[in-house]
Amino acid sequence: MELFFDLVLVFALNRVVAVSAAGLASASRVERWDAFLRGLLVILPLMWVWGITAYVTARFDPRRTPIQLMVLVSALGMLLLGAAIPEAFDGQAFVFAGSYVVLQAGRSLALHRMLQGHMLRRLYLRSLIWFCVSGVPWLLGAATQGSARDLLWATAIAIDFGAARWGWPLPGMGRETVTAWASAPQHLADRARQVLMIALGETILAVGIAYTGNNGVHSLTATFALLIAFLTTVLLWRIYWYTSGELFENTIESAKNRASLGRVAQASHFLMILGIVATATGHELVQDHPTGRTYLSWLAVIVGGPALYLVGRAILEWVVFARVSRPRLIGIAALPMLALPLAFAAPLAAAAAVSVVLLTIAVADGLRAARNPTEAPAPPW
């Protein structure tokens, strides 16, 4: 059931990539940067819907009919969100914002009513109140336009993530101290790995659709761009898996402070998924415009996406081993430094340069893993 929900997430992420790539292809510099920022405004609520759904299936038996129905309703809500993304800042603003608010607040309300006498009942009362609070700027934003909508929706997102991070605090009730990571670390670690793999698959989906959408005409540069996108996706997977991704689940189980370490690990996966979606957007741009001018907003996704991914991966390495390897730090620094010279190169050249940096990191990781084949997790907490 959870994997079915993830498949709906793939659709929503694909809409984010397609809409962002179309906006970034605009001839207007303002419209290009608007597309970049608005892509962030729509993907964060998607990831938060996924995160809250994962918490529900971690806390309660996902084989029970009420929980399965809740996952199915969440999948429907995700489908509506994804369908509204192309017009989320135009005619479908109320559909996008309303679906999100009804889904998040409605789920909390349902759980609060279902959990009579349960220790988690107060948690869902807290989350219900806070989702109602954030619902105000969500709906007000849908009623406005332009930068006012962007500001209101950014405020709503900050409220949603901030309230959860501080335990849904309420006057007279304090903060919630019970966390899903403390009670079900293995389940959440497995879900985080699953959704990251699915996000990587979406990269192939987006580029493959762009490649086959050119009326059957596949130039040499388009084919080379497809190969670069595939290589980049494989390298992102390998950089994740060896070896922090492989040991992530065991690390959380053995950690002294599962709750705190789990939250950091989840944040690292969210950053990596944002990086993957940005990378997919960049590769779709390269697929459609392999030669010619490379705009700075394009470099923000072509180069910035993999850089953000490496930042998330570095945080995960710290979670697993209480260290960050030197090749990863060099890669994080090298990609932004390459942005300046790559601004004078073709988009395809920029994508190829990024893949070289990722290949160097992957090789360094492989050599380190070969020298330490039995390295065990050593979480900081």
Side-chain angles (χ1 to χ4, degrees), residues 152-236:
L152 285 166
W153 282 6
T155 301
I157 291 170
I159 292 173
D160 282 337
F161 280 88
R165 173 61 185 85
W166 296 107
W168 315 101
L170 287 175
M173 296 179 64
R175 296 164 50 184
E176 185 61 53
T177 59
V178 178
T179 67
W181 278 101
S183 58
Q186 185 176 5
H187 179 88
L188 287 173
D190 190 45
R191 293 291 292 126
R193 293 198 301 190
Q194 287 171 354
V195 74
L196 190 133
M197 294 298 116
I198 283 177
L200 286 173
E202 198 288 321
T203 301
I204 299 299
L205 175 65
V207 177
I209 291 174
Y211 181 74
T212 57
N214 294 325
N215 298 321
V217 179
H218 302 142
S219 65
L220 181 61
T221 52
T223 302
F224 187 60
L226 179 70
L227 296 176
I228 290 295
F230 179 78
L231 174 62
T232 300
T233 305
V234 171
L235 290 172
L236 292 177

Side-chain angles (χ1 to χ4, degrees), residues 24-99:
L24 285 166
S26 171
S28 168
R29 179 174 63 87
V30 174
E31 290 182 4
R32 288 196 299 270
W33 282 110
D34 279 348
F36 177 84
L37 295 174
R38 288 178 173 180
L40 188 62
L41 286 178
V42 294
I43 193 175
L44 288 175
L46 297 180
M47 294 311 305
W48 196 224
V49 169
W50 180 91
I52 297 296
T53 304
Y55 286 160
V56 170
T57 56
R59 289 186 171 112
F60 309 106
D61 187 353
R63 294 169 296 183
R64 297 185 60 186
T65 299
I67 302 304
Q68 290 185 345
L69 289 175
M70 193 164 292
V71 174
L72 285 175
V73 171
S74 299
L76 176 60
M78 183 70 76
L79 181 63
L80 292 174
L81 286 169
I85 283 174
E87 297 292 329
F89 292 88
D90 293 303
Q92 296 295 313
F94 271 110
V95 176
F96 183 85
S99 297

Side-chain angles (χ1 to χ4, degrees), residues 246-258:
E246 182 180 7
L247 299 176
F248 169 47
E249 189 174 320
N250 294 334
T251 301
I252 297 297
E253 282 194 285
S254 62
K256 296 179 180 179
N257 191 337
R258 294 177 178 178

Side-chain angles (χ1 to χ4, degrees), residues 84-322:
I85 283 174
E87 297 292 329
F89 292 88
D90 293 303
Q92 296 295 313
F94 271 110
V95 176
F96 183 85
S99 297
Y100 175 81
V101 173
V102 170
L103 176 59
Q104 297 286 56
R107 180 166 44 192
S108 295
L109 175 61
L111 285 166
H112 176 68
R113 293 179 64 87
M114 289 166 55
L115 297 174
Q116 298 290 337
H118 196 283
M119 62 177 295
L120 291 176
R121 190 167 189 257
R122 288 167 62 91
L123 166 64
Y124 289 103
L125 175 61
R126 296 168 183 273
S127 63
L128 170 61
I129 294 173
W130 274 106
F131 279 129
C132 289
V133 171
S134 69
V136 174
W138 273 118
L139 297 178
L140 285 177
T144 59
Q145 294 181 350
S147 57
R149 175 177 295 165
D150 298 345
L151 180 60
L152 285 166
W153 282 6
T155 301
I157 291 170
I159 292 173
D160 282 337
F161 280 88
R165 173 61 185 85
W166 296 107
W168 315 101
L170 287 175
M173 296 179 64
R175 296 164 50 184
E176 185 61 53
T177 59
V178 178
T179 67
W181 278 101
S183 58
Q186 185 176 5
H187 179 88
L188 287 173
D190 190 45
R191 293 291 292 126
R193 293 198 301 190
Q194 287 171 354
V195 74
L196 190 133
M197 294 298 116
I198 283 177
L200 286 173
E202 198 288 321
T203 301
I204 299 299
L205 175 65
V207 177
I209 291 174
Y211 181 74
T212 57
N214 294 325
N215 298 321
V217 179
H218 302 142
S219 65
L220 181 61
T221 52
T223 302
F224 187 60
L226 179 70
L227 296 176
I228 290 295
F230 179 78
L231 174 62
T232 300
T233 305
V234 171
L235 290 172
L236 292 177
W237 164 78
R238 193 187 187 284
I239 289 171
Y240 172 79
W241 189 256
Y242 290 96
T243 55
S244 296
E246 182 180 7
L247 299 176
F248 169 47
E249 189 174 320
N250 294 334
T251 301
I252 297 297
E253 282 194 285
S254 62
K256 296 179 180 179
N257 191 337
R258 294 177 178 178
S260 297
L261 204 64
R263 282 194 292 262
V264 175
Q266 184 181 42
S268 75
H269 281 79
F270 277 13
L271 288 176
M272 284 187 280
I273 291 170
L274 291 176
I276 290 170
V277 172
T279 302
T281 303
H283 281 298
E284 186 163 331
L285 286 170
V286 173
Q287 187 66 55
D288 293 334
H289 312 277
T291 60
R293 182 178 178 181
T294 302
Y295 297 104
L296 290 179
S297 54
W298 293 15
L299 287 175
V301 290
I302 297 173
V303 177
L308 183 60
Y309 180 90
L310 291 178
V311 170
R313 177 58 176 76
I315 296 173
L316 180 64
E317 184 179 7
W318 178 80
V319 166
V320 176
F321 296 114

